[in-house]
Amino acid sequence: NTIKDTLEPTLKDLKVPLHFVKLDLGDVPIRTTNMLIHRVDLESSNDGANTKQTGIQIDVDVEWDGNCDIMIQATLTKSAKVIFGVKAIKLSGRMHILLSPLTTELPVISAVQYGFTNPPNIQLEFTGAVKTVTSLSFVQSALVGVIQSSLASMLVLPNRMVMPIDLGSYDYLDTYQPPVGMIRLTAVSGRGFKVAKKVRLLKDVPDVYCKISLGASKAVRPPFRTSTKKNNLTPSWRDESGDFILYDMDQKIYVEVFDEDKGPLDPDDELGEARISVRDLFRNDGICELELELEGKDKTGCYITLSAELFHLSEQLQSLSSFTYEGKNQLCGLATIIVTKAFDIPVPKVDAATFVKVVYGESSKHEKTFYTGTVMDYPGYDALNPMYDSVFHVPITSAMLQRDNGIVFTLIDGEGANGTTGHGELGKMTVTHESLLRAYKHTMTETRLIGNGGAKLEFRVILSGMQSETEKLQSAAAGSTRTGSPQANDTLPSSLYGGIVESNVNIRVTALRGRGFQIQERRIGKKDDVPDVYCNIRLNSGDHQQLQPSCWKTSTIKDDTMPQWKESKEFSNINPSSDFVCVDVYEENSKGKDEWLGIAEFSLEKLLRKRLLEMELRNGSTLTKSYVTLVCIRL
């Protein structure tokens, strides 16, 4: 049903509408081969604070040769309908499975992400009328195209399926992996093209042009097209390039080469295609000559030289105004929009079916619209506090910066799972380009009220510039010579997590557990000292003033290096954007003064957003390798 519900809306819009009569994928399992399991060190940015975390990635070839039984009805006219079948589907591709972030508690993995690095190869074997009815001749390519497009929108980079494993520690902002950077591709030159003999012994010197795409980029925008070099056997496009967002070094670059012809009755002739992974291209110092093939197997003797330049994403925005990034088809930056979750949806739970519409540059010629998935009332899903966990990337050109292209978020309630009529627009809010320029490291992570019904939306928006390898090295060298004091135009954040814009909030804090406390070895004949651990917990304001009249002391857990307290206390009238929880941990000593083991400070804003957070204790500037976990909820 999921496959049917996903494909049918698109199939109905074809020039000959199609719909499934029967859909049985058979009982042949998916086959996996060539598995590689390796550690990955992932770097992400949390509101300007770069953090590193470790994950495990599984790369595996996936092959499926299904003995399916699929019947499809084509509506030629209102009265003429024919049925044809698909008796076999072959799918093959390279899939990656990312286990990250890793945690210190079972089940050890916070979430699993999986998808294809490049579009998989799909072959369909048809039966019935599709082979005999002329008006259905388009179906074979159209159906494959629909399947490829649907897969690309869900399961091919930059899209991944995300499956939370440990909801207690899961946070999409920790799970999300930013792009590697931007890549500029150039078809430098070609050779080996031949003169074709036409009728009446006329010779046709090819008019050559290229189409270049990266990974599944064709699913969201047309390939980059070079100019046509007329009557040329050795064409050159050295001064033409196209920019792409690079998500993985194993993404493939696809180059298709054509001989341009005249008019719709004389379609362009395909001269061949070539492909290479980004990793392999940079192993050749960013330039490589590729031989073209026809239908993926026949060598043509024609060659294209391809070059690439890598650009890094940066919090420095000089590229947005630099003339060196103003060229045709060139990008100068990237806007990343992440919609994580909403709270307190103001509709009955059984009716709720909400999604978020995101519009960049509303009412401009550069307008781009995105939608999160819809979250309904269903076992395991909280329809009134839905998790959308969606990310959208907007490549920025210099032309897009001629006006303040803001980002508009609209919370919408659609038709409910029980068939009830949707409540429509629940609220709208805008993040302006100017506010991103002013934000600390041009990143905003906020939970804002949206609409008048009390709903709140959590999101993150990041504005990034671009740096070439040379510019990055120059920037690093310049940064190392600074004194370390903030510049006059730097805006320091009031808090790392940038934005629960509320005060007078009531919360419950739970001291959940600790780990990593050390056993003190005694001299021979004496029993080793297993620690008896308790916490003193207090609430402090941003200026380190204690907000409550006294500390809250937990019970003492005897003889345990991994104590579990599970004790709670409520606090009222707190300000999440400035207040924090301070935890001092002690070992109780019955014969003398208790030993102080360290301190941890929890940002209330971050703690409220993540709900469960582990922090390492420190002693001055030294980390102790002992940890305390708190849970915090809003009352």
Side-chain angles (χ1 to χ4, degrees), residues 99-327:
L99 314 178
S100 175
L102 301 183
T103 66
T104 57
E105 303 286 338
L106 292 174
V108 184
I109 299 163
S110 177
V112 175
Q113 303 175 68
Y114 57 94
F116 290 98
T117 307
N118 296 288
N121 180 46
I122 297 174
Q123 299 176 35
L124 305 181
E125 186 175 342
F126 293 91
T127 62
V130 73
K131 293 188 173 183
T132 57
V133 180
T134 304
S135 57
L136 292 179
S137 59
F138 80 99
V139 164
Q140 300 187 46
S141 59
L143 197 53
V144 170
V146 169
I147 295 172
Q148 284 280 22
S149 178
S150 297
L151 272 176
S153 68
M154 297 185 295
L155 269 177
V156 184
L157 284 177
N159 300 301
R160 294 184 176 103
M161 297 295 287
V162 180
M163 181 185 299
I165 301 298
D166 181 4
L167 287 174
S169 64
Y170 171 72
D171 184 342
Y172 184 71
L173 293 182
D174 292 335
T175 304
Y176 162 71
Q177 295 304 314
V180 174
M182 310 291 229
I183 187 170
R184 180 164 295 161
L185 299 175
T186 304
V188 179
S189 61
R191 68 178 180 88
F193 297 103
K194 303 174 180 63
V195 176
K197 291 184 179 180
K198 295 278 185 172
V199 295
R200 297 182 181 177
L201 300 180
L202 293 177
K203 293 184 178 180
D204 179 22
V205 181
D207 305 324
V208 185
Y209 68 89
C210 302
K211 288 183 177 180
I212 303 175
S213 58
L214 175 68
S217 65
K218 285 197 294 186
V220 294
R221 66 167 184 168
F224 165 67
R225 187 193 190 282
T226 68
S227 61
T228 301
K229 298 302 180 181
K230 299 284 188 180
N231 300 321
N232 200 324
L233 299 178
T234 56
S236 174
W237 302 274
R238 191 174 299 275
D239 297 326
E240 303 177 31
S241 60
D243 289 359
F244 300 84
I245 306 174
L246 177 64
Y247 295 96
D248 191 285
M249 294 297 287
D250 289 320
Q251 282 186 286
K252 289 184 178 178
I253 305 163
Y254 301 89
V255 183
E256 301 171 279
V257 184
F258 296 87
D259 177 11
E260 186 175 77
D261 290 312
K262 298 177 181 179
L265 299 180
D266 188 11
D268 297 347
D269 299 319
E270 184 178 354
L271 299 178
E273 66 175 359
R275 62 187 66 182
I276 187 174
S277 73
V278 174
R279 188 182 306 277
D280 288 340
L281 183 56
F282 280 111
R283 281 173 177 163
N284 285 279
D285 296 324
I287 188 166
C288 186
E289 185 178 66
L290 307 172
E291 184 174 5
L292 302 181
E293 298 178 354
L294 282 172
E295 298 182 354
K297 52 186 178 181
D298 295 330
K299 302 288 186 180
T300 63
C302 302
Y303 296 85
I304 290 289
T305 298
L306 184 70
S307 72
E309 182 180 7
L310 181 65
F311 293 83
H312 303 272
L313 295 177
S314 170
E315 66 195 42
Q316 300 184 32
L317 304 183
Q318 289 90 332
S319 62
L320 300 186
S321 56
S322 171
F323 70 91
T324 59
Y325 290 85
E326 293 181 353

Side-chain angles (χ1 to χ4, degrees), residues 517-520 522 529-535 556 559 585-590 592-598:
F517 298 103
Q518 300 299 310
I519 298 174
Q520 300 292 329
R522 299 288 184 88
D529 181 18
V530 182
D532 305 329
V533 184
Y534 69 88
C535 301
T556 300
D559 298 327
V585 182
Y586 292 85
E587 179 181 0
E588 189 173 79
N589 188 347
S590 59
K593 186 178 180 181
D594 293 347
E595 180 183 356
W596 181 70
L597 301 178

Side-chain angles (χ1 to χ4, degrees), residues 548-603:
Q548 302 294 331
S550 62
C551 288
W552 159 39
K553 180 181 177 181
T554 68
S555 60
T556 300
I557 306 299
K558 299 283 188 179
D559 298 327
D560 201 334
T561 62
M562 300 177 64
Q564 296 194 36
W565 297 283
K566 299 182 180 178
E567 299 173 20
S568 301
K569 185 175 179 62
E570 294 181 4
F571 297 90
S572 59
N573 299 322
I574 64 103
N575 185 340
S577 64
S578 61
D579 299 343
F580 59 94
V581 179
C582 184
V583 182
D584 286 284
V585 182
Y586 292 85
E587 179 181 0
E588 189 173 79
N589 188 347
S590 59
K591 297 182 180 180
K593 186 178 180 181
D594 293 347
E595 180 183 356
W596 181 70
L597 301 178
I599 186 173
E601 293 180 340
F602 294 74
S603 160

Side-chain angles (χ1 to χ4, degrees), residues 473-485 487:
L473 292 173
Q474 291 173 345
S475 176
S480 65
T481 62
R482 293 178 184 169
T483 61
S485 59
Q487 301 299 309

